[in-house]
Amino acid sequence: MSAGFPHKHLLGIEPLEPSHIETILDTAQGLREVLDRPIKKVPALRGKTVVNLFYEASTRTRSSFEVAEKVLSADSLSIATSTSSVQKGETLLDTARNLEAMNPDMIVMRHSASGAPHFLARHCRSAIVNAGDGAHEHPTQALLDALTLRQKKGRLKGLKVAIVGDVLHSRVARSNVWLLTKLGAKVVLSAPPTLMPPGLGALVPTTHSIDEAVEGADAIMMLRIQLERMSGGYFPSLREYHRRFGLTEERVRRAHKDVIIMHPGPMNRGVEIASEVADGPYSVILDQVTNGVAVRMAVLVLLLGGTQETQA
Amino acid sequence: MTARMPAGFRERQELMDQPRLSRTLARMAHEILEREPEVTKMVLVGVRTRGVPLARRLAALLAETAGGMPAVGALDITLYRDDLTTVGPQPVMKGTDIPCSIDGRTVVLVDDVLFTGRTVRAALDELIDFGRPARIKLAVLVDRGHRELPIRADFVGRTLTTTRDEIVQVQLSEEDGADRVLLLERTPEPRPARPRRAQRKRPAKGVSKGSVKAKRKTPGKTRRGGR
């Protein structure tokens, strides 16, 4: 039986109990089927308003939230800060308070500062969903990765998952480390020394060799080289990065024969991942995108539906 | 899996045992066949959770007599509930599975207990989002009354008179390990021993006194409302 989801906000994976994570995954699995219906719309969240507040560029996450909101019949509005009053110097808190005056039920936020959604959660009445905060967490991405892994492998417990690439700047890696270790998977992180943050090594094993990390892996999660966050000097050149840390077919062969390859997107083809790997039969990158909609629907339904007693 | 007993309730009466439940389903299958002879053009859609095994059993019974097997689907009405965002517990989603087009076909909606009719309303709305069936019929194992919407069943296993705060619980071997239907009643509040002075006040609370008394008398006496 489901343990329920006793939270008002979804700010990160770290504070969640394993049973709460499983509730989200089970709900998402149940909702997945709605996307294959002839009429892809259910009245579940009719009359609820969701604001998507994106302080950073996003294609997948934002459109995925928007599709999830529309499928569930919630009213949604998306604010890209490049065309909003943020350009005129409005502070985050003022923007949020003004939006709140319009009585939304939920604010989905992406921000370049770690902890921005937590700040909003302290000052707003609405439910807050973190759609990525700085290099901290990206909970819905980790959830959709877990859902994809569970669908393809039937379980998470005991799976060997290699997470390779720009771990330093990656909120996806952090959320995934929390989620996968909470649910019993074995995670190995691999990055060049300059892109491996101190501290994560206390949670999971780390290595500077991709070959070592992918050895016998059930799944390989590639991380994007976040060129926009790099002030330079992390590695000599993109070509060298590809040679030392790019996922090539040869490296895929070191993994388990039923390995699946994941990437949160957007991909830098020829940098962290070779084109033939991204398009290969073991690639589940597009399943991840579809599961992303299902996971976001689950989060919306669990936070906005039902009246189970919540803790902040 | 063991049968679930909701907190604060106890078994009052067994309404159906396994043989009686099978006989009831067999009779329902015959009634369905009498009115809808073209079994292969029929879709039996069970409402989750216990409507689904019931739909499968009815389909098997129809196939025995009529030769053809009707299609069987499952409906999860959670997303169509009218109380999803107001009362009700947090939703548990298991997903809808309609195996074929329902356009122009006869859909028999199958559920275990018909009570307020709100589940059926949600099921009708959801079904219609899947297509335009020729007609929708409703089959329920137990009709316990207390409708809140203008809805009635076409095929009924058993009609019961119940009070609102009782529960009719259908247990099926697929879900609960056994086949039976139970009537559950609220466990009476344990009455604290009170000093004499407090007892004098009691006649003022006539209602609660009466109901407690009535429940106390039940064992051994003819039970009302259970037939």
Side-chain angles (χ1 to χ4, degrees):
Chain A
M1 205 55 206
S2 159
F5 188 74
H7 299 273
K8 186 182 178 208
H9 311 289
L10 177 66
L11 300 174
I13 299 294
E14 186 187 350
L16 300 183
E17 297 287 328
S19 66
H20 303 162
I21 298 169
E22 272 162 1
T23 298
I24 302 179
L25 296 179
D26 292 343
T27 309
Q29 187 61 47
L31 287 163
R32 171 68 188 74
E33 146 275 317
V34 175
L35 302 171
D36 298 326
R37 294 188 187 185
I39 295 181
K40 290 183 270 298
K41 197 167 196 77
V42 293
L45 299 181
R46 217 171 35 185
K48 297 282 179 184
T49 309
V50 181
V51 175
N52 303 314
L53 184 57
F54 277 69
Y55 280 85
E56 268 190 351
S58 165
T59 316
R60 246 162 309 273
T61 306
R62 198 178 82 185
S63 48
S64 174
F65 267 108
E66 282 180 23
V67 171
E69 288 148 11
K70 287 181 198 330
V71 168
L72 292 169
S73 300
D75 295 306
S76 65
L77 63 151
S78 293
I79 297 165
T81 50
S82 53
T83 55
S84 75
S85 294
V86 174
Q87 293 300 315
K88 301 175 189 166
E90 192 171 52
T91 66
L92 170 62
L93 187 54
D94 282 334
T95 305
R97 281 198 174 136
N98 278 277
L99 288 171
E100 274 237 300
M102 300 175 206
N103 274 324
D105 299 281
M106 178 187 276
I107 298 176
V108 175
M109 187 174 76
R110 167 168 290 189
H111 201 282
S112 56
S114 300
H118 305 71
F119 170 76
L120 225 57
R122 280 197 298 278
H123 291 97
C124 294
R125 293 183 310 275
S126 324
I128 308 292
V129 174
N130 181 359
D133 61 328
H136 179 227
E137 281 227 45
H138 190 351
T140 55
Q141 178 70 42
L143 287 161
L144 73 88
D145 289 338
L147 184 63
T148 310
L149 274 168
R150 217 174 66 163
Q151 283 169 358
K152 300 289 172 190
K153 298 287 173 190
R155 71 203 154 93
L156 288 175
K157 207 173 177 61
L159 287 184
K160 185 186 172 191
V161 183
I163 303 180
V164 181
D166 183 358
V167 179
L168 180 66
H169 297 102
S170 179
R171 52 196 173 211
V172 175
R174 273 170 196 76
S175 285
N176 262 312
V177 165
W178 285 117
L179 195 158
L180 292 170
T181 52
K182 276 172 197 269
L183 294 189
K186 287 178 282 185
V187 181
V188 183
L189 291 174
S190 173
T194 48
L195 292 174
M196 180 67 86
L200 272 180
L203 284 169
V204 288
T206 60
T207 168
H208 298 314
S209 152
I210 178 173
D211 295 322
E212 205 175 290
V214 302
E215 194 70 50
D218 295 293
I220 305 173
M221 254 178 221
M222 295 309 295
L223 301 172
R224 183 171 64 94
I225 285 296
Q226 304 201 21
L227 297 166
E228 78 276 16
R229 287 186 216 276
M230 293 198 181
S231 35
Y234 289 102
F235 49 83
S237 74
L238 291 178
R239 272 188 63 180
E240 174 154 348
Y241 183 85
H242 184 65
R243 217 171 54 237
R244 295 282 310 277
F245 281 92
L247 188 63
T248 56
E249 282 195 307
E250 194 195 334
R251 284 180 169 137
V252 171
R253 280 194 288 275
R254 291 174 167 269
H256 190 273
K257 66 176 170 46
D258 295 323
V259 69
I260 57 172
I261 310 295
M262 309 170 84
H263 194 297
M267 284 183 278
N268 296 311
R269 284 173 185 263
V271 183
E272 70 265 6
I273 188 163
S275 245
E276 60 271 22
V277 174
D279 303 326
Y282 31 67
S283 162
V284 296
I285 294 169
L286 296 177
D287 300 85
Q288 287 176 274
V289 178
T290 313
N291 282 331
V293 179
V295 154
R296 279 143 194 151
M297 285 167 68
V299 170
L300 288 162
V301 164
L302 289 170
L303 292 182
L304 295 179
T307 52
Q308 186 164 334
E309 280 302 298
T310 54
Q311 63 194 49
Chain B
M1 215 192 277
T2 50
R4 69 242 131 97
M5 179 63 71
F9 281 83
R10 64 178 183 188
E11 180 178 337
R12 175 168 160 189
Q13 196 185 340
E14 188 177 79
L15 300 167
M16 281 191 209
D17 54 9
Q18 194 272 325
R20 180 143 185 203
L21 199 148
S22 335
R23 281 201 304 277
T24 307
L25 284 175
R27 177 177 53 74
M28 289 174 73
H30 274 106
E31 287 175 10
I32 293 171
L33 207 56
E34 252 168 49
R35 271 197 269 168
E36 304 293 337
E38 288 199 80
V39 170
T40 47
K41 285 191 185 163
M42 191 190 295
V43 188
L44 291 173
V45 177
V47 178
R48 284 198 197 275
T49 305
R50 284 169 185 74
V52 180
L54 286 176
R56 288 208 192 96
R57 291 193 201 183
L58 283 172
L61 289 164
L62 289 171
E64 264 175 37
T65 347
M69 184 77 177
V72 181
L75 210 57
D76 185 331
I77 56 115
T78 312
L79 299 169
Y80 285 75
R81 255 166 41 187
D82 57 7
D83 57 358
L84 180 64
T85 56
T86 50
V87 285
Q90 226 164 22
V92 178
M93 290 293 311
K94 295 203 179 128
T96 287
D97 173 25
I98 306 286
C100 55
S101 162
I102 58 168
D103 287 337
R105 294 199 185 209
T106 298
V107 174
V108 180
L109 198 60
V110 184
D111 203 359
D112 55 350
V113 180
L114 178 57
F115 184 25
T116 61
R118 287 177 192 269
T119 303
V120 176
R121 193 285 306 164
L124 290 173
D125 280 352
E126 178 160 11
L127 265 181
I128 282 161
D129 279 352
F130 277 87
R132 188 177 184 281
R135 60 190 70 79
I136 302 177
K137 301 279 187 185
L138 176 60
V140 296
L141 186 62
V142 177
D143 178 353
R144 58 167 294 191
H146 302 288
R147 217 77 76 238
E148 292 167 4
L149 296 169
I151 281 169
R152 62 160 180 77
D154 301 278
F155 311 103
V156 181
R158 185 167 174 196
T159 308
L160 290 174
T161 312
T162 58
T163 63
R164 236 166 211 290
D165 58 357
E166 286 166 330
I167 293 179
V168 175
Q169 187 183 69
V170 173
Q171 298 181 6
L172 298 171
S173 53
E174 294 91 328
E175 293 284 333
D176 314 288
D179 273 1
R180 51 188 204 150
V181 181
L182 299 178
L183 184 66
L184 309 182
E185 65 176 1
R186 245 175 231 294
T187 315
E189 299 276 315
R191 292 200 303 163
R194 287 183 172 176
R196 266 193 89 73
R197 239 179 309 144
Q199 277 189 353
R200 248 190 284 154
K201 283 184 187 166
R202 270 202 291 141
K205 293 191 249 164
V207 181
S208 77
K209 184 186 168 194
S211 64
V212 171
K213 245 186 161 178
K215 275 185 184 159
R216 265 202 186 156
K217 276 198 287 185
T218 11
K221 281 217 161 195
T222 316
R223 284 150 183 175
R224 299 170 65 201
R227 15 191 335 249

